[in-house]
Amino acid sequence: MKAVLTGHTHGLGEALAATLRARGIPVLGLARGRSPQPDDDGFTQVALDLADAAVLARWLAGDALSRFVAAADRVLLINNAGTLGPVAPAGRQGATAIAQAVALNVAAPLALTDALVATAAHASERRIVHISSGAAHTPYAGWSIYCATKAALDQHARAAALDAPAGTRIVSLAPGVIDTAMQAQIRATPLADFPNRARFEALQRDGALLSPADCARRLVDYLLSERFGAEPVADLRTALP
């Protein structure tokens, strides 16, 4: 078994990389930067700007992905990389920021899913998880781009599950509210841009945020369980007993 993981350098992605490696699953990490963890037989990093569609397309046209998954009988893809911004009402978001968010949050996961299914066609099983959010179905003022991109992942998983080849399972998964840099970014957002800020300040104050390590452990448990793929859209807080 091998795993391809995006956004592995911090937050939940960093915890997922550590959890997978602790369970003996080699990881190919794709992110704009690099983790201080050195590459070895169980960990390979590629510095790749997933928000640049042309850069990602060139990388996928090469053989790095096929070489990584070539000997694997089971392959995992965790589309974890994403961005919260631009956080602002329509009219103050900016075309460039919108395009970059859609590229990173939507186009990259969809392209990687397509490539993984094709490249790992030899494997007996392919499991794909998009890291989604409750914002996919609950609208928040100031988060129209984030909400829209996460909803796109949910709908992609629903549709892809209908025509996925045998041995492919796909789930768009809301992991819960995690104590990461994104939460700090939310709490630092001006109220004029994000009126719901007080709710997230209360989550931190009340100790209601999940640690990345605990979330990663539960997520990998679910990803490897027989329950994975039973529904194409799931919430990690209720996905396991």
Side-chain angles (χ1 to χ4, degrees):
M1 181 183 296
K2 291 188 173 182
V4 180
L5 168 66
T6 67
H8 68 283
T9 58
H10 60 274
L12 178 60
E14 183 178 26
L16 284 167
T19 300
L20 291 164
R21 294 187 67 204
R23 300 191 188 191
I25 302 172
V27 174
L28 171 61
L30 308 178
R32 185 171 53 187
R34 293 180 64 87
S35 164
Q37 181 70 35
D39 290 18
D40 56 32
D41 290 343
F43 186 48
T44 304
Q45 300 186 77
V46 175
L48 192 65
D49 186 356
L50 296 168
D52 189 323
V55 167
L56 177 58
R58 283 196 297 271
W59 185 78
L60 290 173
D63 66 351
L65 181 61
S66 60
R67 286 189 287 106
F68 178 75
V69 303
D73 184 53
R74 301 175 70 195
V75 181
L76 313 175
L77 169 61
I78 305 175
N79 286 310
N80 166 70
T83 182
L84 178 66
V87 177
R92 292 199 289 110
Q93 295 166 343
T96 298
I98 292 170
Q100 289 176 337
V102 172
L104 179 59
N105 289 4
V106 183
L110 271 55
L112 286 164
T113 296
D114 177 71
L116 190 282
V117 171
T119 304
H122 65 279
S124 64
E125 190 174 35
R126 295 157 296 279
R127 296 192 176 195
I128 300 158
V129 59
H130 299 325
I131 301 302
S132 186
S133 168
H137 52 80
T138 300
Y140 290 93
W143 281 11
S144 60
I145 304 305
Y146 186 70
C147 291
T149 55
K150 292 304 183 180
L153 293 182
D154 284 8
Q155 193 70 344
H156 175 262
R158 290 186 182 101
L162 297 177
D163 57 13
T168 300
R169 305 187 194 187
I170 182 168
V171 174
S172 188
L173 182 69
V177 188
I178 312 165
D179 192 9
T180 64
M182 182 177 287
Q183 284 298 309
Q185 180 185 353
I186 291 169
R187 296 190 298 271
T189 304
L191 279 172
D193 291 336
F194 186 55
N196 291 90
R197 190 183 71 187
R199 173 176 179 266
F200 292 86
E201 292 172 333
L203 288 172
Q204 183 201 35
R205 183 178 63 247
D206 298 341
L209 299 177
L210 298 169
S211 75
D214 287 344
C215 184
R217 174 188 52 76
R218 186 170 174 82
L219 195 154
V220 173
D221 285 345
Y222 172 61
L223 181 56
L224 299 179
S225 75
E226 284 305 310
R227 295 173 65 91
F228 184 82
E231 298 292 339
V233 176
D235 189 311
L236 186 57
R237 290 166 290 191
T238 58
L240 289 176

